[in-house]
Amino acid sequence: MAQPDHNHASELRVEDDILVRGAGRFVADVKPPNAAHVYFLRSPHGHAAIKSIDMSAALAAPGVLAVLTAADMAQAGVGNVAVHQPMAGLNGNKLIVSHRPALADTRVRHIGEPVAAVVAETYLAAVDASEHIVVDYEDLPPAVEIADALADGAPQIFDDVKGNVAFDWVWPVDGYENKAREVARIIDGAAHVVKVSVINQRLQCATMEPRGASATYDPATERYELNGCSQGAGPLRDMLSRIMNVPKEKLRVITEDVGGAFGMKSGAYPEYPVLLIAARKIGRPVHWMSGRSEAFLSDNQGRDAVTSAELALDAKGKFLALRVRHKVGMGAYITSAGGNLAVSNFARCFPAMYDIPHLDVAGQCVYTNTAPNGPYRGAGRPEANYVLERAVAEAARITGIDPVKLRRRNLIPNKAMPYKTAVGTTFDSGEFTTVFDKSLALADLTGFAKRRKESASRGKLRGLGLSCFLEHAGGMPTEGAGLKFPGSDKLLVTLGVQSTGQGHATVYPRMVSERLGIPFEQIQHRHGDSDHGIVGAPSVASRSTITAGSAVVQTIDVMLNKGKAVAALLLEAAEADIVYREGGFEVAGTDKRLTLFAVAEKSKQLAKEGKIAEDLDTKTSRDTPQTFPNGVHVAEVEIDPQTGECKVVGYTAVDDCGTILNHTLVEGQVHGALAQGLGQALFEVSAHDATGQMLTGSFMDYTMPRADDMPVLAIADHVVPATTNPLGVKGVGEAGTTGSLAAIMNAIADAIPGGAADYMDMPATREKVWQACQAATAAGHKMPRAAK
């Protein structure tokens, strides 16, 4: 078998030709013929009881085919839309996953929750008819922020969830009390104790393509079909099967092109079962495409966490112990991975690149009257790295130790790998000190003083911030792959993980081409169809190349082993004498040879004749352990103290994402994730008033980073292959969001004198930065003025 040489490591994405020509097939492009349109009437209240719903006028409106409510969902057997794996926490308590109806029944719990669905001949007819639906609401007091929900006497969002706490969680669950006591003892006796509290504000995922789907129902086969944007057709089919109480074989999910996802499109939403039931009810296809304002109210949102940390150091600045308390606003309902990402994903990142021998991590999942909180690029990793790196920056301030020296002093040494952490994970590989030094050299740390002086000559403040981060990739370890020979010397690679922009059609066929020694052009790539029967999970958690790539390697090996047996039969040789080389099977030491495609074609006939058990078409699945991508990011900011304008003027990222299969794709992932991290650090916040009404319900109010907000990036890699998978890959999709937050915020704190920005929360808006500059001036610190 040929070994990959990665000569195509900088190959351009093969997907782009179709996309830039406008030939992609997104949800709005695949609306079935004769499809009716669906419009969802959504709650205008953050928390209210539903006393009654009068649909009579809407049903009589022109073009209306049906109006669906919770009663229709109950009649169809639709159950809880909230699907989550069981989790155990403090004292054995379980994550409380309360009932989420597809259409609100007796109560609404967040603005934008779907209450009724109007099905009509046209979209405008459905919108017009929705205005004739009369819902009698009785306002209830809401709990919008985490503090509101946890306050004494807070409104109860669910009657069965005491104090609105869905989950009290600790790591590790077994033996936690003893570990917590030991950490407390160390903190009490430490020479230095750093205390920080930070906020990760709630964010919109804001994908280019909003959510949408078309649904059909075949009464002859009693089979449903949903064509919609997802991050994995198979996993979405499995969730909908459970929600609708329908056998998996009676459901098919198809996903074609997806205009961005970032975790938000990984799970089931209330609209999907409603669409399927609507198609069955009216006997024809239905179609729904979310509007942007609708997406702001109904899509899963991200982050929303309040985190405190205490870091104990000895007199020389060595880290001794870390205690973390983490509260996450889950919104009104638990999403498919919401509890896991809020606490478990968060905790597994510690102690990051640092040697911290003792850890106590505890968290709470809290229900609030807001849109549900779900995975958003990083999903717990940025939150963990942010609080730790803000604590390290604070440690440098209170001890007087240089921030670079303090970090280097506490990095896990290269020789310590594999390194077992205090939370029970094992970092299999990494060279943290090397990555650290490489990043500082690339960022030209020694030239920073000169750059700061030059900024001051123009009346600007300049600051530099460091962020050492480690994350974990490859969650949900089971993933499958398939190889199929359809004829005409073609090989079809089928996967379950869905491309939402990552470049799967570039990576996986090239991987197969290199390993089998056959031309790239003879390989076709397919995904996005639950009928492919590929076992696995969505494309989240930087897991695709780790898990699906490893499954592809395994599937190739299994297929070739079958091929050797068939080739031995056809070439009249012993199987032990058959070798595979550059696209064909050979009898060692002879010129007898059959191509892979010839053997595959013959195998189909032999299998049909019963002479072999199965042909060369092959599917396998496997479990692949997690990996631990890591890196060091350095940000430089320049601030105008007169206006509060803050620009990221320099950014260096050195990442260890393991073996790199395609440099172009890796750089694209870092660029995109950094843009989202920069957006959170400086601009973005999903804000609500006290009633739960969204104050940032459109791009007129919700500030997104623009192209001119992005700095020129200095990107480098330091490859230390993972030992946990055959490709040696670690993942890179979350690196930018994980590393950037602390780098940028630490740079702002470094820029503004007198500690005026040391405790600034994100986003660092112009107003906040200006106020910090004013506070520094009032405290007697002189601001730079431009040279005349």
Side-chain angles (χ1 to χ4, degrees):
M1 182 176 68
Q3 292 301 311
D5 59 11
H6 305 304
N7 288 335
H8 305 277
S10 295
E11 174 189 46
L12 295 177
R13 291 161 36 104
V14 301
E15 297 93 339
D16 291 345
D17 177 64
I18 290 174
L19 297 176
V20 299
R21 289 190 288 107
R25 286 175 56 83
F26 298 89
V27 173
D29 301 315
V30 296
K31 183 177 70 173
N34 195 37
H37 291 259
V38 178
Y39 178 79
F40 287 92
L41 179 70
R42 299 183 181 276
S43 169
H45 300 273
H47 197 195
I50 297 176
K51 309 301 286 184
S52 64
I53 303 177
D54 184 351
M55 305 172 293
S56 55
L59 285 166
V64 171
L65 302 171
V67 179
L68 282 70
T69 65
D72 297 282
M73 297 300 103
Q75 185 178 18
V78 175
N80 189 0
V81 177
V83 176
H84 198 290
Q85 66 186 31
M87 293 183 70
L90 182 65
N91 299 322
N93 74 83
K94 307 295 184 184
L95 172 67
I96 304 174
V97 183
S98 291
H99 183 75
R100 184 182 189 183
L103 293 170
D105 42 22
T106 60
R107 201 191 298 192
V108 290
R109 293 179 172 86
H110 71 91
I111 288 174
E113 183 169 0
V115 176
V118 181
V119 188
E121 294 288 355
T122 67
Y123 172 74
L124 291 179
V127 174
D128 289 344
S130 72
E131 297 177 358
H132 296 292
I133 299 175
V134 179
V135 184
D136 183 9
Y137 292 104
E138 179 185 331
D139 273 334
L140 298 171
V144 178
E145 304 293 341
I146 295 172
D148 300 334
L150 294 177
D152 291 340
Q156 292 300 286
I157 297 172
F158 290 96
D159 294 338
D160 61 339
V161 183
K162 184 178 179 181
N164 298 317
V165 176
F167 198 31
D168 265 316
W169 181 91
V170 293
W171 188 294
V173 174
D174 295 330
Y176 169 73
E177 290 81 4
N178 291 334
K179 290 182 180 294
R181 280 193 292 269
E182 178 64 9
V183 169
R185 183 191 65 78
I186 293 169
I187 290 175
D188 290 343
H192 303 285
V193 177
V194 173
K195 297 181 181 181
V196 297
S197 181
V198 300
I199 293 173
N200 266 266
Q201 74 272 31
R202 183 171 274 252
L203 301 175
Q204 296 286 344
C205 295
T207 55
M208 285 191 294
E209 180 195 28
R211 286 187 303 116
S214 297
T216 60
Y217 177 74
D218 183 349
T221 60
E222 298 182 329
R223 196 169 196 233
Y224 297 92
E225 184 173 299
L226 186 83
N227 189 321
C229 45
S230 79
Q231 290 176 244
L236 179 56
R237 186 275 314 271
D238 294 348
M239 289 183 216
L240 288 173
S241 169
R242 198 167 142 189
I243 291 165
M244 297 181 65
N245 295 301
V246 171
K248 291 180 183 180
E249 60 271 17
K250 294 294 184 181
L251 268 170
R252 183 187 187 188
V253 173
I254 297 172
T255 297
E256 298 188 48
D257 289 323
V258 178
F262 313 126
M264 183 267 287
K265 295 175 182 175
S266 59
Y269 280 85
E271 294 88 356
Y272 302 154
V274 175
L275 294 173
L276 293 167
I277 298 303
R280 190 180 77 178
K281 185 178 181 72
I282 70 167
R284 57 189 269 202
V286 300
H287 175 77
W288 166 70
M289 193 74 223
S290 172
R292 183 62 65 182
S293 295
E294 188 177 12
F296 268 75
L297 298 176
S298 61
D299 289 350
N300 293 343
Q301 297 178 7
R303 310 289 190 254
D304 196 8
V306 178
T307 314
S308 62
E310 297 168 89
L311 177 63
L313 301 86
D314 68 15
K316 295 182 179 180
K318 284 289 289 181
F319 298 162
L320 302 175
L322 177 69
R323 180 163 57 200
V324 180
R325 296 294 179 263
H326 187 57
K327 295 181 174 65
V328 183
M330 305 308 298
Y333 301 101
I334 301 292
T335 55
S336 59
N340 183 67
L341 68 90
V343 288
S344 181
N345 268 20
F346 172 81
R348 273 200 297 266
C349 293
F350 295 113
M353 297 175 77
Y354 301 114
D355 183 14
I356 306 177
H358 299 279
L359 287 162
D360 169 7
V361 185
Q364 283 187 323
C365 297
V366 182
Y367 280 115
T368 60
N369 288 119
T370 55
N373 189 349
Y376 174 62
R377 200 167 193 168
R381 302 161 183 84
E383 294 92 319
N385 183 75
Y386 182 59
V387 71
L388 179 56
E389 279 298 305
R390 291 298 296 269
V392 173
E394 177 70 2
R397 285 190 285 269
I398 70 166
T399 62
I401 301 173
D402 176 80
V404 172
K405 291 181 180 178
L406 180 64
R407 285 176 169 85
R408 185 180 283 116
R409 187 172 299 171
N410 286 284
L411 291 173
I412 298 168
N414 296 351
K415 64 183 180 181
M417 296 297 166
Y419 176 88
K420 185 165 184 179
T421 74
V423 295
T425 54
T426 298
F427 302 158
D428 67 288
S429 59
E431 295 176 355
F432 301 158
T433 56
T434 308
V435 171
F436 185 74
D437 292 338
K438 191 171 184 176
S439 70
L440 298 184
L442 185 61
D444 185 21
L445 182 66
T446 57
F448 174 70
K450 183 179 179 180
R451 295 192 295 276
R452 174 176 264 177
K453 186 175 181 180
E454 191 278 329
S455 293
S457 73
R458 294 183 285 106
K460 303 292 179 67
L461 297 164
R462 195 178 189 104
L464 182 144
L466 298 175
S467 177
C468 301
F469 75 90
L470 176 141
E471 50 144 331
H472 51 91
M476 296 170 286
T478 304
E479 192 63 46
L483 296 173
K484 187 172 184 178
F485 295 87
S488 302
D489 285 359
K490 296 292 184 182
L491 175 58
L492 184 64
V493 181
T494 54
L495 298 173
V497 291
Q498 175 72 34
S499 177
T500 62
Q502 298 95 327
H504 290 184
T506 299
V507 170
Y508 296 111
R510 178 64 65 195
M511 181 192 304
V512 174
S513 169
E514 291 175 342
R515 288 183 173 269
L516 290 179
I518 59 178
F520 179 81
E521 294 73 24
Q522 290 182 262
I523 301 170
Q524 299 172 331
H525 167 243
R526 295 289 182 272
H527 61 222
D529 189 341
S530 61
D531 277 3
H532 286 155
I534 303 297
V535 174
S539 51
V540 295
S542 296
R543 67 181 295 276
S544 296
T545 308
I546 299 163
T547 57
S550 297
V552 167
V553 171
Q554 175 178 278
T555 306
I556 289 173
D557 291 342
V558 172
M559 182 273 292
L560 289 178
N561 284 334
K562 291 195 295 182
K564 287 179 181 179
V566 175
L569 185 64
L570 296 172
L571 294 170
E572 298 179 335
E575 186 175 337
D577 292 333
I578 300 295
V579 294
Y580 181 85
R581 185 174 64 84
E582 295 301 323
F585 297 94
E586 303 174 350
V587 179
T590 76
D591 60 357
K592 291 184 176 182
R593 176 181 171 89
L594 288 171
T595 69
L596 170 64
F597 293 103
V599 173
E601 188 66 29
K602 288 286 187 180
S603 74
K604 293 183 184 298
Q605 183 62 36
L606 292 172
K608 191 178 296 183
E609 295 171 356
K611 294 179 180 178
I612 59 173
E614 56 183 76
D615 59 26
L616 263 59
D617 290 354
T618 305
K619 289 180 187 175
T620 75
S621 65
R622 57 169 283 164
D623 287 353
T624 303
Q626 283 199 315
T627 63
F628 298 93
N630 58 86
V632 177
H633 288 196
V634 184
E636 287 191 35
V637 301
E638 198 173 68
I639 293 170
D640 185 340
Q642 304 304 313
T643 66
E645 181 185 24
C646 177
K647 295 285 292 183
V648 180
V649 293
Y651 198 93
T652 300
V654 177
D655 290 285
D656 171 16
C657 57
T659 302
I660 294 176
L661 304 182
N662 185 297
H663 277 281
T664 301
L665 297 181
V666 166
E667 289 193 13
Q669 289 290 317
V670 175
H671 281 224
L674 170 60
Q676 291 174 279
L678 183 147
Q680 179 176 358
L682 298 181
F683 304 117
E684 299 180 46
V685 59
S686 184
H688 302 76
D689 69 12
T691 69
Q693 181 64 49
M694 185 172 287
L695 302 176
T696 52
S698 75
F699 288 137
M700 294 291 289
D701 312 296
Y702 187 89
T703 309
M704 295 277 280
R706 301 181 182 226
D708 62 354
D709 293 313
M710 287 289 287
V712 175
L713 305 182
I715 295 178
D717 56 74
H718 181 74
V719 175
V720 182
T723 64
T724 56
N725 64 80
L727 295 170
V729 297
K730 290 181 179 176
V732 72
E734 269 86 14
T737 49
T738 304
S740 60
L741 304 183
I744 293 171
M745 295 303 291
N746 283 342
I748 293 171
D750 181 60
I752 302 175
D758 288 354
Y759 309 108
M760 183 181 292
D761 281 318
M762 299 182 290
T765 60
R766 283 193 181 193
E767 181 184 8
K768 287 182 185 177
V769 172
W770 180 82
Q771 288 176 340
C773 292
Q774 293 296 302
T777 301
H781 296 278
K782 192 173 181 180
M783 291 294 158
R785 293 189 177 276
K788 294 183 180 179

